[in-house]
Amino acid sequence: MAVKVGEKKNASASDGSNHDLVRGVWQLMRFHTFEGLSTSSIGWLALFFYAMQQDLSFDSVRQAFIGILACYHMTHGIFCLWNDICDRDFDGKVARTRKRPLPSGMVTLNEAVTVFIAGLVASLGVTYVLLGQDVTLVMVPIWGLSFIYPLCKRVIWAPQVVLGLTMALCVLPPWVAVGNIDSPGANLLPASLFGAIFCWLVYLDLIYASQDRPDDEKAGVKSLAVFLGDNLKAGLTVLGVFQVAFFTLAAFAASASNFMWTFGIAVWAASVPWSILSLDPRDRNSGGRIFLVNALLGIYMAVVSGIDVWRSAQ
């Protein structure tokens, strides 16, 4: 019976009866999840840390806040679509992803490529209008790395490093948007935030990739989770220590308040050992659960830093 059901699904994908362009594109761009909001939270977190350092009010960074939401959310969606275009054959071989719009036939390849090109142009336009020319130029390497990231899975064993670099660069557009300062040691803040986000994203993607490791090994996907094997938790521990150290350095550089230290840095530090100890590599669903908690933690950290900026202006 299971074989017959599978055959029916495959036939549906091939004859186009599963085609649903609007719903498929919506899913390809992950608009049905909060992933775009999680990506935007990285920009917001950096924006609020810069506001702390420069003693800016929430009102003075409101335009940058809105621009980051639009730019990062759209960029995330477009390059998730691009990732699925590149991974369409791999996704069909992985149990968790074989029902995604491209391998299932919900969206055709030509349709996906057309939407990607149109979306990329729209992302550039939105960024230019809301954040200006200088920020748009700083976004160019982020778009470039986002483009090559899916291709790295065929070439290197640590595509997570490319993803980490891509997301870590997201702390720079807010720095340009609010106007960086030239005082001694001012560059310590963006540098420490870059290090924190890099370590966190590699750590986060390792947790996520752990649930697909058996399928990735069979499909020949190059992944740091596959490379580390039984040493996965050791790698996560190193990344966890470094991300907490970098966030601590960033809080010092931003002259963060006791509120930020208590409800932000301390909570983040406590989450690392909890995540690593809770992860069960033998349970394929464990990685997804821990990933979800950590993605929400990024949004939480942005909210706490935003509240801290708002409180300081009262």
Side-chain angles (χ1 to χ4, degrees), residues 272-296:
V272 171
W274 175 85
S275 295
I276 296 172
L277 292 172
S278 299
L279 181 65
D280 182 1
R282 296 167 299 180
D283 178 5
R284 295 187 61 145
N285 295 319
S286 176
R289 291 192 298 267
I290 305 302
F291 171 85
L292 177 62
V293 171
N294 278 271
L296 290 171

Side-chain angles (χ1 to χ4, degrees), residues 87-133:
D87 284 358
R88 62 191 184 278
D89 293 331
F90 284 133
D91 284 346
K93 300 175 183 177
V94 177
R96 186 180 56 83
T97 59
R98 63 170 57 109
K99 292 183 181 180
R100 282 181 176 175
L102 280 167
S104 70
M106 192 182 298
V107 178
T108 68
L109 178 59
N110 287 340
E111 289 170 341
V113 171
T114 300
V115 173
F116 169 70
I117 294 172
L120 192 57
V121 173
S123 295
L124 192 152
V126 166
T127 305
Y128 185 84
V129 170
L130 294 179
L131 295 171
Q133 178 179 328

